[in-house]
Structures are given as C-alpha cells and as structure tokens.
C-alpha cells in the first residue's frame, strides 16, 4: 500500500516545521475543505481543534494511491541507483540521518505514468515543475529531524509517495512548539526502511 501525502502552505511559508517530507499546495488547489470527515479522522490528529482547523482543507493523505504492483515497479527502478550508495549519517543542513538519496529525470514507462498521475493530482494546472524527482531512502534506524524546507529548492507544492513502511509526519508551528498535527502514513508501525519519491514545483 502506498500513500500520496500533501499539505498546503499557510499564508507564511515558514509557519510549519516538518520532521518528514510532505506536500505544500497553493491556496487555489482543490483540496477538501469544511468539517472533518470520518475518513480524515483515520490519518489526521492534532493537539487541539484550533490547530486542526488551521490545517484542515490544506492537508491530505491518500491511502492506496498506487497499486502494490506499481509500488514494486517504483521500488525496482529506484533500487538500481540506490544500492550503489552507502547510507549517510550527516547532511548539509543536519536535517537527515541514516539516508541515501538520488534524483531521477528519466523513468521507465510504468513509473513515468505513475509520476504523471501524481503531478496531475498534486500541482495546480500550469504550475512550472522541477524536472528531477527526488528519491530519499531512510534506513530502519534513519530519521529526519524537524526542519523547514528551503525556499531555494521548492515552490508552493511538494508531493510525496511513501513506499515500503509506515511513518508519522508531525507538523509543528515554527513559533508555537506546543501545537502539533500528526499525519499517519499507515501500513505498519513501527517503521522499517522507507522510501519517499518526491515531486516539487519551482519557486515563483
């Protein structure tokens, strides 16, 4: 089971720290708005109704966005490049430990079709897209520390597929650390190795 994760940007880009990769969408994107649905309750949790109201309509986790066969196809294609690399335990901004990563511009037919579907769902029509797809492989002992994505490397939107393992993405307001929102990326918890396949659009 694979998930598509997306979270809309707030009025101020740096209003949230995200310990895991997520999707930032423009306000004009057609996300679910209004009262919390029963389906939403399965993956969205927060420290208060106030913080839930702040993100509701700006965040979405889609269960089973791709099939098991499609997940296997993505895994086989990214594994070819990843297995030549060692897991690293430092990062240029100290945000990630126990990881391997790569970028891919060219994909096989099946994977290219999957990524076109992700982009069609995730990005506003006509949005200029970042060409290379970022692939991040976290070891079982790897983790992503709380951080704010640099505006140099992404625009309004990040869309990610979560492969192989479950995790919980916690979003925390930059200046109100007692408030939080958890997105459950459901398969199995505790987490084992997890691969994120991430698409971005360009900064405006």
């Amino acid at each position: 089971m694979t998930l598509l994760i997306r979270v809309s940007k707030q009025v101020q880009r740096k209003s949230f720290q995200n310990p895991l990769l997520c999707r930032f969408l423009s306000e004009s994107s057609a996300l679910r708005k209004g009262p919390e649905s029963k389906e939403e309750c399965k993956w969205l949790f927060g420290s208060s109704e106030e913080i839930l109201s702040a993100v509701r309509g700006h965040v979405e986790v889609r269960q089973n966005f791709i099939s098991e066969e499609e997940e296997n196809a993505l895994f086989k294609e990214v594994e070819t490049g990843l297995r030549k690399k060692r897991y690293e335990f430092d990062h240029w901004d100290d945000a990630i430990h126990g990881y391997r990563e790569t970028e891919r511009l060219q994909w096989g037919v099946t994977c290219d079709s999957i990524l076109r579907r992700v982009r069609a769902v995730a990005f506003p029509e006509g949005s200029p897209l970042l060409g290379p797809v970022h692939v991040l492989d976290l070891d079982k002992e790897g983790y992503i520390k709380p951080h704010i994505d640099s505006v140099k490397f992404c625009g309004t939107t990040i869309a990610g597929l979560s492969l192989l393992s479950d995790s919980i993405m916690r979003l925390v307001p930059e200046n109100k650390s007692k408030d939080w929102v958890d997105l459950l990326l459901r398969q199995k918890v505790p987490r084992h190795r997890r691969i994120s396949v991430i698409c971005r659009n360009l900064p405006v």
Side-chain angles (χ1 to χ4, degrees):
M1 176 171 61
T2 307
L3 307 164
L4 176 67
I5 310 106
R6 58 185 185 177
V7 180
S8 75
K9 78 169 187 178
Q10 302 300 304
V11 175
Q12 297 181 358
R13 182 183 298 278
K14 293 189 176 182
S15 60
F16 281 91
Q17 297 179 13
N18 56 327
L20 293 176
L21 296 164
C22 61
R23 175 187 180 218
F24 288 88
L25 297 170
S26 67
E27 296 290 346
S28 63
S29 297
L31 295 180
R32 182 192 306 121
K33 298 184 182 296
E36 182 174 348
S37 67
K38 291 182 179 179
E39 182 64 26
E40 182 183 76
C41 293
K42 296 178 181 179
W43 53 261
L44 180 62
F45 306 88
S47 57
S48 67
E49 180 55 37
E50 181 182 4
I51 193 67
L52 285 172
S53 295
V55 302
R56 189 172 292 119
H58 301 285
V59 60
E60 183 174 356
V61 176
R62 293 198 181 190
Q63 307 281 346
N64 298 316
F65 184 76
I66 64 176
S67 68
E68 185 175 343
E69 291 76 16
E70 289 173 320
E71 180 179 14
N72 289 335
L74 275 170
F75 173 72
K76 288 178 181 178
E77 191 153 341
V78 300
E79 182 73 351
T80 302
L82 290 171
R83 65 188 177 196
K84 300 175 183 177
K85 301 175 179 289
R86 294 182 178 181
Y87 285 102
E88 302 288 341
F89 289 88
D90 56 7
H91 188 260
W92 65 272
D93 63 357
D94 196 37
I96 316 174
H97 292 261
Y99 72 99
R100 302 185 294 191
E101 65 181 342
T102 187
E103 290 186 335
R104 291 184 66 93
L105 188 59
Q106 301 295 327
W107 296 84
V109 175
T110 299
C111 294
D112 184 65
S113 175
I114 294 167
L115 293 170
R116 281 190 279 108
R117 196 161 85 238
V118 169
R119 286 165 167 155
V121 168
F123 299 102
E125 186 175 355
S127 175
L129 302 180
L130 185 65
V133 174
H134 181 203
V135 179
L136 178 66
D137 177 12
L138 279 181
D139 181 63
K140 179 180 179 180
E141 304 300 327
Y143 57 92
I144 303 175
K145 296 168 67 174
H147 69 282
I148 299 172
D149 283 339
S150 171
V151 296
K152 295 180 180 179
F153 302 110
C154 59
T156 59
T157 305
I158 301 173
L161 290 170
S162 182
L163 312 180
L164 300 186
S165 182
D166 269 0
S167 193
I168 294 174
M169 179 186 295
R170 173 158 289 192
L171 307 178
V172 181
E174 184 178 9
N175 299 316
K176 293 183 68 176
S177 59
K178 291 184 179 179
D179 287 339
W180 53 267
V181 172
D182 279 354
L183 308 179
L184 178 60
L185 313 184
R186 185 185 303 278
Q187 288 171 326
K188 300 177 182 177
V189 175
R191 181 181 64 79
H192 297 284
R193 180 186 177 194
R194 185 170 77 92
I195 294 177
S196 299
V197 179
I198 306 141
C199 300
R200 292 180 170 89
N201 63 352
L202 292 167
V204 177

